[in-house]
Amino acid sequence: MKKANPKVSAIIPTFNEEENIEQCIQSVLWADEIIIIDSFSTDGTLDIAKKYPTTVVQHEYVNSATQKNWIIPQAKHEWIFLLDADEYATETLVGEVQKELENPQKDAYWIKRKNFFMGKKVNYSGWQNDKVVRLFKRDKCRYEDKNVHAEIITDGTVGQLKQVIMHNTYKGLNHYLGKISWYSTWKAYDKINKGASTNFFFNIIVKPWYRFFYHYILRLGILDGKVGFVISALNGYDVMLRGIKIWRITQGEVINKDKK
């Protein structure tokens, strides 16, 4: 008799994701449990989520890592498949996940992401090797203690799947610039806490220009056309803004960390 696959809990963190949440949920309807962990959305996100067989839990947002680490232990099932609300799993990825879980050899799995920005699929610009751990054992993994871009850490083994997650990273210029501003604040505090350089010239002039060059030339953003240029320029802007905030914080200014 064929052994049944282990059951899976899908987790989706949300905050004001009415543009993306339905596609995300539809891509995990195969899971045995779907948990929406919401940080008090004020748009139609929850109305959409409640159309589907989901469990909605609300929790005050501090940062992405703490939000996910809070909800993961509450999942019913050993295996977790986690998607951000602006992502969705392709049918081929779902098939690969289900096949892998017939006889899993690892405790967690990297999954590549295909990113879309300003309506265009991004093939280069430093995003070509983007990957995240999104399939993992509940009791073997947690997110690292970082405010921004935290990744899964585990004392177990980690593999990699072949298929990809689709990532709609752009909801409009105002939203994206707001995200850069919020991320740069947390990055500035993280850098200061780790004793990073506070050199004004280096942080605000040299590093931003190098970041643009890195994404546009070294990571072939030029091949992504206008979108590649914009991505590279915004990466440089992100680094410059972080450098300015490092300078102001070390001068005693308090910068609001609130995402909302």
Side-chain angles (χ1 to χ4, degrees), residues 167-183:
H167 184 204
N168 297 311
T169 185
Y170 183 80
K171 292 199 296 184
L173 189 57
N174 282 340
H175 176 267
Y176 200 84
L177 291 174
K179 186 163 69 171
I180 287 176
S181 179
W182 181 73
Y183 278 166

Side-chain angles (χ1 to χ4, degrees), residues 67-190:
Q67 191 82 334
K68 292 171 182 175
N69 284 336
W70 182 81
I71 195 62
I72 287 169
Q74 300 180 53
K76 293 179 181 177
H77 305 304
E78 177 187 25
W79 281 95
I80 305 294
F81 186 71
L82 191 148
L83 288 178
D84 285 340
D86 59 358
E87 300 170 340
Y88 66 94
T90 62
E91 290 184 9
T92 53
L93 172 60
V94 172
E96 185 180 15
V97 167
Q98 293 173 326
K99 180 69 175 177
E100 185 66 27
L101 291 180
E102 290 178 4
N103 184 27
Q105 300 296 307
K106 306 293 182 180
D107 299 303
Y109 294 87
W110 290 100
I111 304 176
K112 291 183 262 187
R113 284 197 299 191
K114 180 59 67 177
N115 295 286
F116 293 81
F117 187 81
M118 293 184 170
K120 177 181 171 62
K121 182 172 70 173
V122 179
N123 295 311
Y124 303 100
S125 304
W127 292 359
Q128 53 265 58
N129 298 319
D130 185 21
K131 61 181 182 178
V132 285
V133 175
R134 290 297 166 77
L135 177 66
F136 55 91
K137 285 185 176 178
R138 176 194 59 203
D139 302 327
K140 297 284 288 184
C141 301
R142 63 182 177 85
Y143 279 85
E144 59 189 329
D145 185 19
K146 284 177 62 178
N147 290 306
V148 179
H149 298 149
E151 192 48 84
I152 284 283
I153 54 177
T154 178
D155 58 1
T157 55
V158 184
Q160 180 164 328
L161 301 183
K162 295 178 181 179
Q163 300 302 320
V164 299
I165 291 170
M166 298 298 184
H167 184 204
N168 297 311
T169 185
Y170 183 80
K171 292 199 296 184
L173 189 57
N174 282 340
H175 176 267
Y176 200 84
L177 291 174
K179 186 163 69 171
I180 287 176
S181 179
W182 181 73
Y183 278 166
S184 67
T185 300
W186 275 112
K187 289 176 189 175
Y189 279 105
D190 279 347

Side-chain angles (χ1 to χ4, degrees), residues 167-230:
H167 184 204
N168 297 311
T169 185
Y170 183 80
K171 292 199 296 184
L173 189 57
N174 282 340
H175 176 267
Y176 200 84
L177 291 174
K179 186 163 69 171
I180 287 176
S181 179
W182 181 73
Y183 278 166
S184 67
T185 300
W186 275 112
K187 289 176 189 175
Y189 279 105
D190 279 347
K191 290 286 187 181
I192 291 169
N193 291 338
K194 291 179 180 178
S197 170
T198 58
N199 183 281
F200 181 93
F201 178 79
F202 181 69
N203 285 340
I204 299 176
I205 300 176
V206 175
K207 289 184 74 173
W209 277 107
Y210 177 76
R211 181 60 64 89
F212 171 81
F213 176 79
Y214 174 80
H215 283 271
Y216 195 59
I217 303 298
L218 299 183
R219 302 299 289 157
L220 302 178
I222 191 172
L223 298 181
D224 283 319
K226 293 177 182 177
V227 166
F229 181 87
V230 172

